[in-house]
Amino acid sequence: MTVSPLSPERPATPPAAVSSRWQTLALQVVGLLVILGIWWLLTDVLKLYPPYVFPGPKAVWTEISYGLWGNGPQDGKLLSAIGGSLRRVVVGYTIAVLLGTLVGLLLGAWRPLRATVGSYLTGVQSVPSIAFVPFAILFLGLNERAVLFVVILEGFIPVALAVSGALLNVPPALRVAGRTLGAGPLSLTLRVLLPASVPSILTGLRTAWSFAWRALVGGELLIAGSTSLGELLEVGRNTANVALVMATIIIIGIIGGLFDTLLRAAEGRVRSTYGLEVPQ
């Protein structure tokens, strides 16, 4: 017995839903233009703050263009920093997902482990990632392994808790049906409980990405010497280049938002396939 999605064929998207997406996109564009307009008004028109304290949109865009394709002081560094940070977060996030899935399966299958380790993981999750950086530096040294340690630690806990919680929330009827059809503990977990938990697990993966991305930037900010977005933030602080700091923050937000959008789309597709999406 293997749990399968409720809807074998994906229904066509209703025209109303397509129209709603375009309306949402239009509102987002309008909101962005309003924010840029207020920013430009405060900095370039009213000049409420000196440019070295609060630069305008043009100065920040100049830093972004120099960092990506220009000939400025940080020529090309932003592009290489994005590559370095993405490499670390992909490695750390992948390890976190694998480790978290394994721990989550153990927590979901063994009540004593869930009552002890599970409660401790919840407590550790409440600790800000930046608090683990000093420990990582002292334990692993001032190097890239310390950054990966923080990323993995922050990423694997949400995955482990999501997997164990999803397994426990599987309808009892599926467990009974699987056992009635002769499934053993391992077969029941792999062929019944785990497939039925996929939508909830995807939510945990999206949360884990958010935690891992924030932990990465925090770790890179304190562990210098590596090509990264965190290093660019530190360079901007040391050179009093607020425009570079704001440009790096914007790039960090854009990358984090893009990945979250991709994971949210995958989650929505899976929920729709499982028949969990209700048309509005």
Side-chain angles (χ1 to χ4, degrees):
M1 174 185 178
T2 302
V3 173
S4 59
L6 298 178
S7 305
E9 295 184 359
R10 181 178 173 77
T13 304
V18 177
S19 176
S20 177
R21 290 177 185 173
W22 281 109
Q23 289 177 0
T24 301
L25 180 61
L27 290 175
Q28 290 173 343
V29 172
V30 171
L32 176 61
L33 293 177
V34 170
I35 292 174
L36 289 175
I38 294 175
W39 183 7
W40 173 76
L41 182 65
L42 294 177
T43 55
D44 293 340
V45 178
L46 299 178
K47 300 184 184 303
L48 296 180
Y49 301 95
Y52 58 87
V53 175
F54 189 22
K58 184 179 179 181
V60 174
W61 170 250
T62 300
E63 287 294 339
I64 294 176
S65 61
Y66 281 169
L68 294 179
W69 58 74
N71 298 313
Q74 304 298 329
D75 182 19
K77 288 187 176 179
L78 185 56
L79 196 60
S80 59
I82 292 173
S85 292
L86 285 179
R87 177 179 57 80
R88 292 187 191 89
V89 77
V90 167
V91 172
Y93 181 70
T94 302
I95 297 175
V97 169
L98 296 176
L99 184 62
T101 302
L102 177 62
V103 174
L105 288 174
L106 294 175
L107 291 176
W110 194 15
R111 183 189 298 270
L113 191 65
R114 188 167 61 250
T116 54
V117 176
S119 59
Y120 296 145
L121 289 180
T122 304
V124 173
Q125 191 181 27
S126 65
V127 180
S129 61
I130 199 72
F132 292 106
V133 174
F135 170 77
I137 294 175
L138 294 174
F139 187 65
L140 298 170
L142 197 61
N143 51 46
E144 188 167 311
R145 289 184 301 168
V147 180
L148 287 177
F149 173 81
V150 178
V151 173
I152 294 171
L153 182 64
E154 286 297 308
F156 110 88
I157 295 178
V159 176
L161 295 178
V163 171
S164 63
L167 292 177
L168 295 175
N169 288 328
V170 172
L174 289 178
R175 295 175 182 270
V176 174
R179 289 169 181 157
T180 303
L181 294 174
L186 182 60
S187 178
L188 183 69
T189 300
L190 297 180
R191 302 184 65 183
V192 178
L193 302 182
L194 204 53
S197 306
V198 168
S200 298
I201 292 175
L202 281 177
T203 303
L205 294 182
R206 190 159 59 83
T207 304
W209 159 258
S210 176
F211 275 70
W213 182 240
R214 285 182 291 180
L216 172 80
V217 176
E220 290 178 340
L221 183 62
L222 296 180
I223 302 174
S226 59
T227 303
S228 63
L229 292 170
E231 184 199 27
L232 274 190
L233 288 174
E234 187 66 9
V235 170
R237 185 185 70 86
N238 291 333
T239 58
N241 188 347
V242 184
L244 175 61
V245 172
M246 294 181 67
T248 308
I249 291 173
I250 290 173
I251 294 297
I252 291 171
I254 290 175
I255 295 175
L258 286 176
F259 273 85
D260 183 76
T261 301
L262 291 176
L263 292 173
R264 189 186 297 273
E267 179 187 1
R269 182 177 291 272
V270 170
R271 287 179 59 82
S272 178
T273 303
Y274 274 67
L276 299 176
E277 289 290 339
V278 179
Q280 300 294 323

